Each structure stands twice: as C-alpha cells, then as structure tokens.
Amino acid sequence: MVDLLQKGMAWLEDQRTKFMTQPVVYQRGGGGGEGGGTVEVPATIGTTVFQIDDGGGALLRIESRDYLILAADLMIGGTPIVPRRGDRIRETSGTGGGQVFVYEVVGPGDEPCWRWSDAYRQTLRIHTKQIDVENP
C-alpha cells in the first residue's frame, strides 16, 4: 500500500524547492581527514530559537539562521555528505550590491548542528551563525 503521507510530503518538498529557495554555496570545512569542496544548492532560509541554560539559572535565547536543503542535493565530488561543525554556507544578498554573507555551521551549546526537517529524511535543517560579510 502507498504511504499517502510520504507521497504528500514528497510533493510539498518539491514545491518548496521550486518556489521557496535561493541558491547558496555549501563549503566543506576540510577538517576531519576529508578534503574541502563546494556545491551550489537551492535552500530555503528559516530560523530556530534555542533556549540554553547557562548553568547559573539563566536561560540564554539564541537564534540560528537555518538553511533547509534537500539531502539528495548535498553532494561534493559526487559523494553525499551530511553537515558538520565548521562547514560554511555562503549566501549572496538579493537586494543588490553583491554582498556575500558567510555563515558557519554550528549548533549552540550541546545542540547538534543539523537535524532532519521531515519524518521521511528528505530535508536537512542546518543551523548556522553569521561570521563574515564580504563586499564586492
């Protein structure tokens, strides 16, 4: 029997990718015994708000800029990869001027730097923080 929810989610992911993305460049950090590399992928931009206990009784509110990317699109040199801390995402400003915003893949505190965005493991939600702005 066909899983209608899975079929519906695949359709929604297809629509998101067609109509709610912009191109970004994913750059492998090059550490961990693997070489670096880049790939341009379509990504939907979002946010996640984390509340982290600072150990002293206060909750820190940390907002991450997230990139939703199809797992099937995240390949470097023909090899599928998963995000890891230290990788970078480069996003060119769409408002003119050609600024490139550079984000590092990182999860706050002990949080992972990515998670699955859907129950069928089609889309990665990658958590980042901005580390640089490059002007043309």
Side-chain angles (χ1 to χ4, degrees), residues 97-110:
Q99 284 184 314
V100 176
F101 295 90
V102 182
Y103 293 85
E104 184 171 342
V105 175
V106 63
D110 293 333

Side-chain angles (χ1 to χ4, degrees), residues 26-49:
Y26 191 94
Q27 180 179 7
R28 178 54 91 193
E34 296 179 26
T38 62
V39 62
E40 185 174 281
V41 293
T44 301
I45 298 170
T47 59
T48 297
V49 177

Side-chain angles (χ1 to χ4, degrees), residues 41-63:
V41 293
T44 301
I45 298 170
T47 59
T48 297
V49 177
F50 294 93
Q51 289 193 7
I52 308 291
D53 186 338
D54 75 349
L59 286 178
L60 301 175
R61 182 183 179 279
I62 300 170
E63 188 170 310

Side-chain angles (χ1 to χ4, degrees), residues 78-129:
T79 303
I81 63 167
V82 294
R84 67 175 185 219
R85 290 180 186 267
D87 290 352
R88 295 188 175 179
I89 296 177
R90 302 169 68 78
E91 174 189 337
T92 302
S93 172
T95 59
Q99 284 184 314
V100 176
F101 295 90
V102 182
Y103 293 85
E104 184 171 342
V105 175
V106 63
D110 293 333
E111 293 290 329
C113 63
W114 70 275
R115 63 181 170 89
W116 292 109
S117 183
D118 61 286
Y120 299 99
R121 295 181 178 102
Q122 299 176 88
T123 303
L124 303 158
R125 175 176 283 271
I126 304 168
H127 307 303
T128 67
K129 70 174 182 178

